[in-house]
Every structure is written in C-alpha cells, then in structure tokens.
Amino acid sequence: MVAGGNNRGTATRLVVLVLTVGILSALVTFFIGDFVIRGPESLTASPATVAQGNTPAQNAFIHLEVVGSVAAAITFPRPDDPHPTWVSYLPTTILKVPANSTVTMQIDQEDTPSGLRNPLWSRAFGIEGGTFHMTYFDDQGNAQAGDFSSIPDPATAAHTFAIPDLGVFVPLEGLNAAAPAGSMNVITFSFKTGKAGIYHWQCFVPCGSGTIYGNGGPMQTMGYMAGFLVVQ
Ligand SMILES: [Cu+2]
C-alpha cells in the first residue's frame, strides 16, 4: 500500500514536471518567435539606375527616407508602427546588398537640424568620388543643388548615415526652416561593398529625443536609427 502510494505520488510529480517543462518551452518558443517576427523587415537593393550627379548607378540601389517622426512619413508610410513619434529611417534599416559591388543610396531627408557633437563629422568618408549629391533649400527657401564633400555647417546636420566597419560616413543636411512644407533634402552617394558579411550601421547624431543624452529609444532600436547592411 505504502509503496503503491509512493509510485502514484512520483507519477503525479512526473506528470506535473513534464507539463511544466512543456508549457515553459512553449512560452519561450512563443516569445522568441514573436521577437523574430516583430523584427524589422528587410529591403533588398534594386538594380534600378539613378543618377548621382552625372554618374549612373551600378548594380544596386537603395532608397531610404529619414523622418523626424514615423507618422510624418511622405515616401514610406509605416501606419501600424508601435512608435509613431520616433525619429526613423524608413521603410526599414535591414538592407540587403550584393557583395563586391557599388551600392547607390538615395536618402530623402525631411527632418530639421539637430547639429553634430563633433564638427569633424560634417565631412563625408568612404564614398565614391569623395562627394555626395544633394538637393536642398537655402535660407530663403529656394531649392539648390550641388556636389559636396562635407556639409557647410556642422550645426545644420539632422542625421548621419554611417557604416563604421566599411568606413562609410555621410552627414545628412537638416531641412531648412525656410523650406516649403512637405519638402525634403535628397542626398545621393555610392559606396563599394567587399566580401559578404553583416555590417552594423547607424546614425551618429544623438537624435532620440526624450531619452538620456538622446542616445536611447530610436537610436538603439533596429528599424529606426540603427540597422544592418547584409552584404550577400
Ligand atoms: Cu539620427
């Protein structure tokens, strides 16, 4: 009798243990799966041809938009975004580009200036020809265009596009307050990729307003001011 009772007790404990482990495993799987699914989508470079100044694009083209808040997007709206007030690159920051190729970027920059903490960062590095092409607006709100190796005033930068491991760095001029409503600075440049790999990229302007030193929130979150360049 006593032995039988012990066996039943052991069996019950075993069933409870197995069920508990099963439920915990299911929960862990669910949370990991949910995390992966909720991660930003990826954008594969298109083979489209656009001009950078007089140089036609080759191989790969990536078109991004930079907004002061996701809800204000013009080119790439993200209606169900969990952070509509966050500053962001759009439509995503997971960018897939071919290895050993020239990637041409077009960035529609719509945010106002934040300023650079280090004036050295007003210079562009690591891009083809050393210059980026930019259409922008002057203090009178007139459209201007030109090729630049740096932005004229570090205080007027809004964001930067930086891939540290590839030595690529481009300052993005903030939209002048005199620019007509709904306008954007359009910045185009090209850089070369080497071997396949995953390269972290991010903005170097602490632009996450409302977070400590501006470096939290969107600055640390994939899909906003940080991302991966997937070279494949
Ligand atoms: Cu930024």
Side-chain angles (χ1 to χ4, degrees):
M1 273 309 275
V2 173
N6 273 350
N7 281 345
R8 270 202 298 278
T10 306
T12 307
R13 281 198 294 275
L14 199 62
V15 168
V16 169
L17 183 68
V18 167
L19 280 176
T20 307
V21 168
I23 290 167
L24 284 176
S25 307
L27 282 173
V28 167
T29 308
F30 172 78
F31 280 122
I32 291 174
D34 191 53
F35 178 78
V36 170
I37 289 164
R38 277 165 186 266
E41 294 183 358
S42 65
L43 172 67
T44 302
S46 72
T49 298
V50 292
Q52 184 209 354
N54 294 320
T55 313
Q58 297 178 11
N59 296 340
F61 173 61
I62 292 273
H63 184 190
L64 299 179
E65 176 182 22
V66 187
V67 291
S69 61
V70 171
I74 296 171
T75 315
F76 299 111
R78 220 160 53 183
D80 296 324
D81 196 278
H83 303 290
T85 62
W86 277 14
V87 64
S88 191
Y89 276 92
L90 297 171
T92 182
T93 62
I94 311 296
L95 313 174
K96 293 184 176 174
V97 298
N100 305 308
S101 64
T102 302
V103 176
T104 295
M105 305 279 309
Q106 175 185 333
I107 300 179
D108 300 345
Q109 205 300 111
E110 295 152 23
D111 202 4
T112 48
S114 306
L116 296 166
R117 294 201 177 170
N118 183 340
L120 186 71
W121 290 346
S122 58
R123 260 191 68 197
F125 294 92
I127 55 175
E128 292 293 289
T131 60
F132 55 90
H133 185 77
M134 176 166 73
T135 63
Y136 64 104
F137 295 86
D138 62 22
D139 290 341
Q140 277 70 51
N142 297 316
Q144 304 287 347
D147 293 311
F148 298 86
S149 57
S150 65
I151 56 170
D153 180 359
T156 59
H159 302 276
T160 73
F161 177 83
I163 317 168
D165 283 349
L166 293 183
V168 172
F169 185 90
V170 181
L172 304 176
E173 176 79 4
L175 195 63
N176 196 301
S183 49
M184 55 183 74
N185 297 338
V186 177
I187 296 115
T188 49
F189 56 92
S190 298
F191 65 90
K192 280 197 157 58
T193 61
K195 63 179 180 359
I198 296 177
Y199 303 85
H200 179 252
W201 71 270
Q202 67 170 89
C203 170
F204 272 14
V205 177
C207 58
S209 63
T211 64
I212 191 159
Y213 300 124
N215 276 313
M219 283 293 284
Q220 298 178 352
T221 310
M222 287 294 144
Y224 296 86
M225 279 286 138
F228 288 112
L229 184 79
V230 182
V231 180
Q232 55 191 12

